[in-house]
Amino acid sequence: MKPTINVAEAVAPDGATFRLCSHDGEFFLYMNERQVMSTTMTHSELLLADLGCDFRDGRKNPRILIGGLGLGFSLRRCLELTGSDARIEVAELLPEIIGWNGECLAGLNDGILADRRTRVIEGDVYPLIKAAAKKASPYDAILLDVDDGPSSLLQPGNARIYRREGLQTIKRALTSGGRVAFWAATAEPGLLRDLRQTGFTVEELAVAKHPRAKQKRHRIYLAEKRD
């Protein structure tokens, strides 16, 4: 049996321990003892980008903000879907995760990090959203995969994203016809309700861990700004 190797480790500001592990050529990201992402299960990360970048007006060179670099799969898909003049910003709270993507993933993400359309920003995603809302420099899409949902936060400070004020700020940070997509580990009826009350057109999509899975326990909430 091939061993599981602890490749690297980092401690988040709230004290949570993140570990990058490898096994049989695949990589796994853990928060404490819980696996939060891997190179073997990328279906929902890719779908987050597919939905967020599926603009009705066919815009090809959008400005996109991704909350959470993770193992880079949403970023990779955004680059595949958009044109040569797209601008894709990725906010990642932990500098170690940024470093792991460039140094530890066996060349997996070298190309997407070096792509001239990519800008990786060390820090929290919410200040970037607030800045876009205040400076009238909106995004065409905002993709948020920073928690397991508002009822299961990975970082306590992310609670402000899901409050009414946070959702209103996200709306102001989007272009007309712009989209925000939230990944959640399970159904979040409160988020669905609050997005609708904020004035978004909203879809709730059930998502499986991988294309052949029978159960669809995860959710993506896709909200579009129509005014």
Side-chain angles (χ1 to χ4, degrees):
M1 181 180 293
K2 295 184 179 180
T4 296
I5 300 170
N6 193 33
V7 177
E9 190 171 296
V11 178
D14 68 344
T17 298
F18 283 80
R19 290 183 297 122
L20 179 67
C21 299
S22 67
H23 174 75
D24 196 19
E26 301 289 352
F27 291 91
F28 304 84
L29 184 62
Y30 288 85
M31 186 188 77
N32 298 325
E33 298 306 313
R34 174 182 172 194
Q35 182 182 307
V36 295
M37 195 169 292
S38 77
T39 55
T40 64
M41 299 255 185
T42 64
H43 178 60
S44 60
E45 288 90 348
L46 297 176
L47 188 57
L48 187 75
D50 286 341
L51 293 169
C53 297
D54 186 18
F55 302 106
R56 295 184 182 182
D57 57 10
R59 63 188 84 178
K60 296 297 183 183
N61 295 301
R63 184 182 182 216
I64 299 169
L65 174 62
I66 302 174
L69 174 61
L71 298 180
F73 289 99
S74 292
L75 170 59
R76 181 183 303 279
R77 187 64 177 141
C78 284
L79 290 168
E80 291 171 351
L81 292 169
T82 57
S84 59
D85 291 324
R87 292 173 294 162
I88 303 172
E89 299 173 19
V90 186
E92 174 52 57
L93 187 63
L94 295 181
E96 291 87 353
I97 289 182
I98 298 173
W100 297 346
N101 272 269
E103 299 165 10
C104 301
L105 296 185
L108 181 67
N109 288 341
D110 292 16
I112 62 174
L113 294 175
D115 193 298
R116 65 180 182 81
R117 295 170 291 172
T118 299
R119 180 187 175 207
V120 179
I121 302 163
E122 179 188 328
D124 196 316
V125 69
Y126 192 65
L128 297 176
I129 295 171
K130 287 185 68 176
K134 288 182 178 180
K135 296 178 182 177
S137 53
Y139 294 100
D140 297 290
I142 298 174
L143 312 180
L144 295 172
D145 186 7
V146 293
D147 297 295
D148 281 351
S151 64
S152 183
L153 301 174
L154 297 186
Q155 297 291 329
N158 289 341
R160 57 187 173 173
I161 293 173
Y162 307 101
R163 297 187 186 115
R164 295 287 182 86
E165 182 181 351
L167 297 179
Q168 290 167 355
T169 301
I170 289 172
K171 189 178 179 184
R172 292 195 301 272
L174 288 169
T175 59
S176 179
R179 297 178 154 208
V180 56
F182 297 84
W183 188 93
T186 189
E188 295 281 358
L191 177 60
L192 180 63
R193 178 199 64 225
D194 291 344
L195 283 166
R196 285 174 173 160
Q197 292 182 355
T198 304
F200 284 105
T201 300
V202 189
E203 294 180 68
E204 179 186 39
L205 299 106
V207 182
K209 284 186 176 182
H210 55 85
R212 296 182 300 278
K214 294 181 179 179
Q215 294 182 323
K216 295 184 177 182
R217 295 179 177 174
H218 302 328
R219 296 291 187 274
I220 291 177
Y221 291 90
L222 178 65
E224 187 168 308
K225 178 179 177 179
R226 299 306 302 162
D227 55 4

